[in-house]
Amino acid sequence: MNQHNKVQEYEKVLDLLDHFLKKYQNLGKNAIETSIVSLLKNNVTGLFFVGFYEVIDDNHLEVGPYQSTILATPRIEKGKGQCGQCWAEGKVQIQEDVKVCQNYIACDNETQSEIVIPVIKNGVVQSVLDIDSEHLSRFDEVDSKYLQRIVEYLI
Ligand code: SME
């Protein structure tokens, strides 16, 4: 995908999100996450799955708000798959080709590439934002930069 279009799409999401959260202040986490998922899924091209996984105890993530045509894997152990790895490391994960990824949990047959962004508050991962694409190598540093800015609204 053309980087210029990608930047324009994320800038639009940031504008809409910023406007929305100024209009409706003091929203809870669920409302903000659900709004982020909707804005990304409906304004950014080539996203097959957009969703949050929440830390629910010392060893598990549980699926939160998401949009896709599939049913997401509901629980993921710490360190397992790209979501569990993102939580364990507290770092953005980008997989250009999930088929060659050794630590990947498949929820569908469509996904080719994936990015996972940690939501870190006071040094602790609270949740992760998981995004899958049906295109190979869909995600890069531009996506990482914008998605980290977007999840800052949760912190
Ligand atoms: N692929 C993820 C699992 C979640 S589904 O993609 C929605 C992973 O490897 O952790």
Side-chain angles (χ1 to χ4, degrees):
M1 170 183 205
N2 176 318
Q3 291 291 8
H4 181 62
N5 291 348
K6 186 187 274 193
V7 166
Q8 280 187 335
E9 290 178 349
Y10 282 121
E11 289 288 349
K12 180 180 175 192
V13 169
L14 275 169
D15 275 356
L16 290 167
L17 183 62
D18 197 66
H19 186 261
F20 181 75
L21 295 179
K22 280 189 175 122
K23 184 173 175 189
Y24 300 103
Q25 294 185 16
N26 302 316
L27 289 178
K29 183 179 72 161
N30 190 56
I32 300 173
E33 286 184 346
T34 303
S35 307
I36 289 173
V37 166
S38 177
L39 286 170
L40 287 171
K41 184 75 176 73
N42 294 299
N43 291 285
V44 181
T45 310
L47 308 185
F48 176 71
F49 174 94
V50 180
F52 284 91
Y53 277 90
E54 316 293 333
V55 173
I56 55 159
D57 61 28
D58 288 347
N59 208 34
H60 294 93
L61 294 167
E62 191 168 273
V63 74
Y66 72 92
Q67 285 197 12
S68 187
T69 50
I70 58 140
L71 272 179
T73 300
R75 281 203 177 164
I76 296 176
E77 279 180 47
K78 192 170 193 176
K80 299 280 170 64
Q82 289 302 291
C83 292
Q85 188 168 333
C86 178
W87 175 22
E89 294 180 4
K91 288 185 187 148
V92 174
Q93 310 292 316
I94 295 178
Q95 289 299 327
E96 295 193 3
D97 181 355
V98 298
K99 288 191 296 305
V100 299
C101 178
Q102 300 297 313
N103 191 19
Y104 172 71
I105 298 166
C107 296
D108 60 86
N109 296 319
E110 307 299 322
T111 297
Q112 305 280 342
S113 60
E114 177 167 30
I115 186 168
V116 192
I117 309 288
V119 182
I120 302 173
K121 197 170 181 175
N122 300 326
V124 180
V125 178
Q126 310 286 319
S127 57
V128 302
L129 172 59
D130 180 30
I131 305 186
D132 296 335
S133 175
E134 62 272 52
H135 305 291
L136 277 172
S137 305
R138 168 63 183 75
F139 305 107
D140 59 20
E141 287 309 311
V142 174
D143 301 271
S144 175
K145 184 186 91 173
Y146 275 104
L147 292 167
Q148 287 180 84
R149 278 178 64 186
I150 288 166
V151 301
E152 274 173 23
Y153 284 91
L154 285 159
I155 297 167

